[in-house]
Amino acid sequence: VGGLGNVVDSLAAVREVMFECAEARGDQLWEALTADFQGYEALRQRLECCPRYGNDDPRADELAQRVADLVFRELRRYAPWRGGRFLPSCLMFATYAAAGEPVMATPDGRLAGQPIGDSIGAVQGRDRHGPTALIRSVAGIPQTLAPGTLVTNFRFARSMFEGEQRGKIKDLIRTYFALGGLQMQITVVDQDTLRCA
């Protein structure tokens, strides 16, 4: 399963802009999406102001829980032709950028071809209330239904692993697992170091 954050953010945006506030109709949104928001920048910016998954916001998190529950349960109903069973997952360590290339614009304000959401976390850059809010959002997903791996990726500055900051990271990790999280991947390498490597 890829792009969970985009699906959730899109549903939250459609609900707010089309149904709760009646600021756009379905045909207008479809025209904007097929035009990759060319000529619809005001609508795109409005969609970007809607609730976002990953910020401990029940308006988005409740949708994430419902979508994940539906998709994970549906996948588990089927078996591969060789036997066994499908194990739902949200696992896109480096493939989320390429996975977004063939995808048209989406109602969350994402332009055509841009990367989709990375694994089970928020769409890159949309979690704006800190790592504790992010883990509270992600932990609400029914993770036991997706034993194929639900990864939450974090990137922290190296300084967060020094002195008393280290204790805070340790508490964050423990809290995530206590809330029901299954896998956390932490990166402390910055972009410049990765480019040099």
Side-chain angles (χ1 to χ4, degrees):
V1 178
L4 175 67
N6 297 100
V7 171
V8 172
D9 290 352
S10 292
L11 290 171
V14 167
R15 179 174 60 191
E16 181 171 299
V17 172
M18 288 179 54
F19 296 101
E20 294 175 352
C21 299
E23 296 173 20
R25 298 186 318 269
D27 61 330
Q28 293 171 320
L29 180 58
W30 179 248
E31 288 172 10
L33 295 175
T34 57
D36 197 23
F37 291 107
Q38 295 298 313
Y40 296 90
E41 183 59 23
L43 176 58
R44 191 182 76 78
Q45 288 181 15
R46 173 62 182 96
L47 293 167
E48 287 191 334
C49 293
C50 293
R52 299 296 198 189
Y53 168 65
N55 294 291
D56 195 21
D57 183 338
R59 297 172 299 166
D61 293 352
E62 173 265 333
L63 288 170
Q65 293 160 15
R66 288 174 56 194
V67 167
D69 186 80
L70 173 77
V71 172
F72 296 162
R73 287 185 190 280
E74 186 65 20
L75 284 172
R76 292 167 64 104
R77 292 180 52 216
Y78 302 96
W81 67 274
R82 291 184 178 182
R85 63 185 179 141
F86 288 115
L87 297 176
S89 68
C90 289
L91 180 63
M92 301 185 81
F93 290 123
T95 57
Y96 61 92
E101 289 175 7
V103 180
M104 69 181 285
T106 49
D108 57 350
R110 182 193 144 276
L111 297 174
Q114 287 186 337
I116 59 172
D118 169 23
S119 299
I120 197 172
V123 173
Q124 301 79 272
R126 291 186 184 167
D127 54 322
R128 298 193 174 138
H129 295 281
T132 303
L134 176 62
I135 66 169
R136 288 178 53 85
S137 291
V138 172
I141 299 290
Q143 298 203 15
T144 56
L145 294 178
T149 306
L150 295 180
V151 176
T152 307
N153 291 309
F154 292 86
R155 180 177 290 189
F156 294 111
R158 191 174 303 275
S159 62
M160 290 299 295
F161 294 86
E162 299 168 0
E164 70 178 56
Q165 297 299 324
R166 185 178 175 127
K168 292 178 182 177
I169 293 291
K170 189 176 180 183
D171 290 342
L172 180 75
I173 294 169
R174 286 185 171 155
T175 300
Y176 181 63
F177 291 113
L179 290 172
L182 292 181
Q183 184 173 343
M184 195 180 223
Q185 178 170 278
I186 298 174
T187 302
V188 293
V189 179
D190 61 38
Q191 291 292 89
D192 291 337
T193 303
L194 289 172
R195 285 189 187 101
C196 287

